Amino acid sequence: MAYNAYDVEKNQGYAANSGEYSPPHDGLEKNHGSYQEPDGAVPGESFEYGTGMRAKLMRFAGKIGIEQRGIERVPEDERTDTGFRSLLNVGTMWCSANMVVSSFALGLLANSLFFLGVADAMLVILFFNIIGLTVVSFFSTFGSAFGLRQMVLSRFWFGWWGVKLIAIFNVLACVGWSSVNSIVGGQLLNAVNSDVPGWAGIIIIAVCTWLVTLFGYKIVHIYEFWSWIPSFIIFLIVLGVFAHSGDYVDIPWATGTAEMGSVLSFGSVIFGFAIGWCSYAADYTCYQPSSASKFKVFGWTFLGLIFPLLLTQMLGVAVYSATAGNGGSNRYADGWASSGTGGILGAVLIYHLGGFGKFCLVVLALSIIANNCPNIYSVGLTVQVLGRWIQYVPRFVWTTIATGAYIAIAIPGYTHFEAVLQNFMNFIGYWLAIYSAIGLTEHFVFKRGFSGYRPENYDDPSKLPPGIAAIFAFCCGVIGMVAGMSQVWWVGWIALHAGKAPFGGDVGWELGAAFSMVAYLIARPIELKLFGR
């Protein structure tokens, strides 16, 4: 039989039993018209049952090795990412995603946009990364604990309806990240060969990313397991060649309110990049068994994140310092002006290594694929949270649609990369700080740890929080964000006191997190008293 829209909505995106299928696993029960285990998990074979278009797509996907599962809970017996290899998987996953030229590009902003010296910029990189990455690493432990994706887990904090707002923000973040990253890759390819326009480089990176993410969790992990190695080698080459060149300039450390404002504003950019992974952190551990050590998952995630970010961003600060040499008249400044990140890397690699340097730049450009994979894989999962009918559409279809969307954004944004990067990093840091503050408050204060969750209720709106308190707290966080943000187009009244006029210092994410946390602590007890959930 074929299924119409009503059947899909009624059955939560799964085919209902028509008497033709008998679930092979003992203990399965019919729940809301779809086969689920008592703990709410959905067995993998259920995705292929039926004669409709979705079932046909799923069967075809299974034949060629594409992951069929979307946001459904993973049964314990299908969590095959086990042992020490699973820890290596999560560590190398994040190492590859951040051992990329996009991370290096952030270090270039320290002096080019915020006029920081070398030492103060590196201290900002260290401490603001630690803050953001701690949150990402903690959320990674939820995937193995519950077998659920990050946006689905967020239902336990924001409720069935409230999480849809968060999902919209996350879709924008995934597509936006991919656009920004592709622009960097396009610049690199243009620096190697000026006959290759930026749009061509963007399309090359997007198509390669799509091919990896199309197949899903296992292939993404396999690709990320190895892809950090060539990037790491090339960054070591950049470090060695630049150190040997003697072009480094020790830009001094400033003082005063202007310095404070620059530190806070650059810190907001670094924090935004670091915490940017938290809205899909659990997506990459949900196939690990519930018995996995949370301490080890946290530790390997943190290690996989902090190592590449410190290396690449601090290297970016050091290399950009050379633009100050000879009164600002040098090949580094010229390269930055002509091709941005690609131009300044070309001043190191191509100038000293010739053809081999060009090869290194091409490899770095392709490293963007590793950075975009988590974004484009997770966007297909995030979209499914928006509605049951959307969940009916397979994840890999949404992956394809998202790829087309970020190509359409990146190509016209190519010539405005610096402004796009700064504004986008800050936007990510703002909303994710609010999201994290609410989630952590609910987890530690009201659920009192992992034992307070009932993961089997993840797909039952009547048993999830109403989400009123979370949305109220989110709105309060936005007020704090507006008061503390410092952008070219808006400077908050509190931001004006955090640095030198006219831009002050950006404290938007700090105030956003603080306002939302306080508001949630006030509103959530009232919600619990009124609704009991």
Side-chain angles (χ1 to χ4, degrees):
M1 61 180 290
Y3 298 94
N4 58 31
Y6 172 75
D7 294 322
V8 173
E9 179 71 20
K10 179 181 68 175
N11 297 312
Q12 302 184 18
Y14 307 108
N17 182 27
S18 63
E20 302 172 13
Y21 172 73
S22 178
H25 293 284
D26 295 333
L28 293 183
E29 61 179 14
K30 192 175 182 182
N31 186 1
H32 301 291
S34 62
Y35 281 106
Q36 294 182 347
E37 296 180 353
D39 62 357
V42 178
E45 65 269 18
S46 67
F47 298 115
E48 297 188 2
Y49 174 68
T51 58
M53 179 59 70
R54 181 178 189 271
K56 292 178 181 178
L57 282 173
M58 288 296 197
R59 282 194 288 271
F60 175 75
K63 288 179 181 178
I64 62 175
I66 293 177
E67 181 188 14
Q68 299 161 306
R69 184 178 302 279
I71 59 173
E72 303 82 11
R73 191 181 187 195
V74 184
E76 192 69 44
D77 62 352
E78 293 184 26
R79 301 195 204 175
T80 56
D81 197 5
T82 60
F84 183 66
R85 178 59 184 257
S86 69
L87 298 175
L88 283 178
N89 278 343
V90 71
T92 54
M93 161 81 201
W94 295 119
C95 185
S96 291
N98 291 279
M99 188 72 73
V100 293
V101 71
S102 300
S103 305
F104 175 86
L106 281 190
L108 304 179
L109 301 180
N111 185 260
S112 65
L113 279 180
F114 302 106
F115 309 106
L116 291 173
V118 173
D120 46 346
M122 290 188 177
L123 288 173
V124 169
I125 288 170
L126 174 63
F127 290 108
F128 281 85
N129 267 315
I130 289 175
I131 296 171
L133 299 182
T134 299
V135 178
V136 179
S137 302
F138 181 67
F139 284 166
S140 290
T141 65
F142 283 70
S144 56
F146 301 127
L148 291 169
R149 312 287 187 169
Q150 186 69 41
M151 281 294 104
V152 179
L153 287 165
S154 302
R155 289 174 176 172
F156 293 101
W157 309 329
F158 288 85
W160 179 266
W161 297 104
V163 79
K164 297 181 190 297
L165 173 65
I166 303 303
I168 291 172
F169 279 118
N170 200 43
V171 169
L172 294 175
C174 290
V175 173
W177 272 122
S178 300
S179 301
V180 171
N181 295 337
S182 299
I183 291 172
V184 178
Q187 287 183 339
L188 278 179
L189 292 176
N190 180 259
V192 174
N193 186 348
S194 59
D195 292 332
V196 178
W199 62 265
I202 289 169
I203 291 176
I204 291 171
I205 291 167
V207 171
C208 292
T209 303
W210 174 76
L211 288 173
V212 175
T213 56
L214 180 69
F215 289 90
Y217 183 95
K218 289 184 178 179
I219 301 302
V220 169
H221 270 298
I222 290 172
Y223 180 81
E224 305 280 23
F225 192 88
W226 302 104
S227 63
W228 67 275
I229 297 175
S231 300
F232 176 57
I233 293 172
I234 292 173
F235 279 121
L236 288 181
I237 292 172
V238 173
L239 175 60
V241 171
F242 181 72
H244 187 262
S245 71
D247 294 329
Y248 169 78
V249 177
D250 187 14
I251 301 175
W253 185 326
T255 58
T257 55
E259 169 72 2
M260 179 178 69
S262 295
V263 165
L264 291 171
S265 296
F266 181 55
S268 181
V269 174
I270 295 298
F271 174 81
F273 193 93
I275 203 171
W277 305 111
C278 81
S279 56
Y280 32 95
D283 293 359
Y284 302 96
T285 54
C286 65
Y287 281 91
Q288 294 187 10
S290 57
S291 59
S293 167
K294 294 181 178 64
F295 177 79
K296 291 180 180 179
V297 172
F298 177 95
W300 278 89
T301 302
F302 188 84
L303 181 63
L305 287 161
I306 194 72
F307 169 64
L309 286 177
L310 293 187
L311 171 65
T312 56
Q313 291 171 4
M314 290 182 176
L315 182 59
V317 171
V319 172
Y320 190 85
S321 72
T323 61
N326 194 32
S329 178
N330 54 70
R331 68 178 185 277
Y332 296 94
D334 293 342
W336 173 253
S338 63
S339 299
T341 304
I344 203 167
L345 277 170
V348 179
L349 293 172
I350 298 177
Y351 180 83
H352 291 283
L353 302 179
F356 179 70
K358 291 183 178 181
F359 171 77
C360 291
L361 283 182
V362 171
V363 174
L364 285 182
L366 296 178
S367 74
I368 295 296
I369 298 169
N371 192 253
N372 275 359
C373 280
N375 302 315
I376 299 305
Y377 175 69
S378 289
V379 73
L381 301 168
T382 301
V383 169
Q384 292 188 333
V385 176
L386 295 174
R388 297 202 191 280
W389 72 270
I390 296 179
Q391 189 177 345
Y392 178 75
V393 180
R395 173 202 60 81
F396 49 86
V397 174
W398 293 115
T399 296
T400 304
I401 294 173
T403 298
Y406 83 79
I407 291 174
I409 294 171
I411 291 176
Y414 178 81
T415 56
H416 306 286
F417 167 70
E418 189 174 355
V420 169
L421 181 60
Q422 180 194 6
N423 293 333
F424 188 72
M425 293 305 117
N426 285 329
F427 167 76
I428 294 298
Y430 295 147
W431 87 265
L432 285 179
I434 298 171
Y435 163 82
S436 300
I438 294 171
L440 292 173
T441 304
E442 172 68 24
H443 178 81
F444 287 107
V445 178
F446 298 103
K447 286 192 167 51
R448 300 181 184 276
F450 290 91
S451 61
Y453 293 81
R454 296 294 176 265
E456 65 273 12
N457 298 334
Y458 78 94
D459 209 31
D460 189 346
S462 66
K463 296 180 180 179
L464 293 167
I468 299 172
I471 295 302
F472 169 74
F474 193 93
C475 293
C476 292
V478 171
I479 295 174
M481 177 194 79
V482 172
M485 67 189 296
S486 174
Q487 300 293 320
V488 174
W489 44 273
W490 172 260
V491 180
W493 53 94
I494 296 179
L496 284 171
H497 298 284
K500 187 176 180 180
F503 295 113
D506 197 318
V507 289
W509 72 266
E510 294 95 331
L511 291 180
F515 278 41
S516 60
M517 185 177 294
V518 172
Y520 194 72
L521 287 170
I522 296 171
R524 181 61 171 147
I526 299 173
E527 184 180 62
L528 284 170
K529 186 174 182 180
L530 293 176
F531 296 94
R533 53 189 173 92

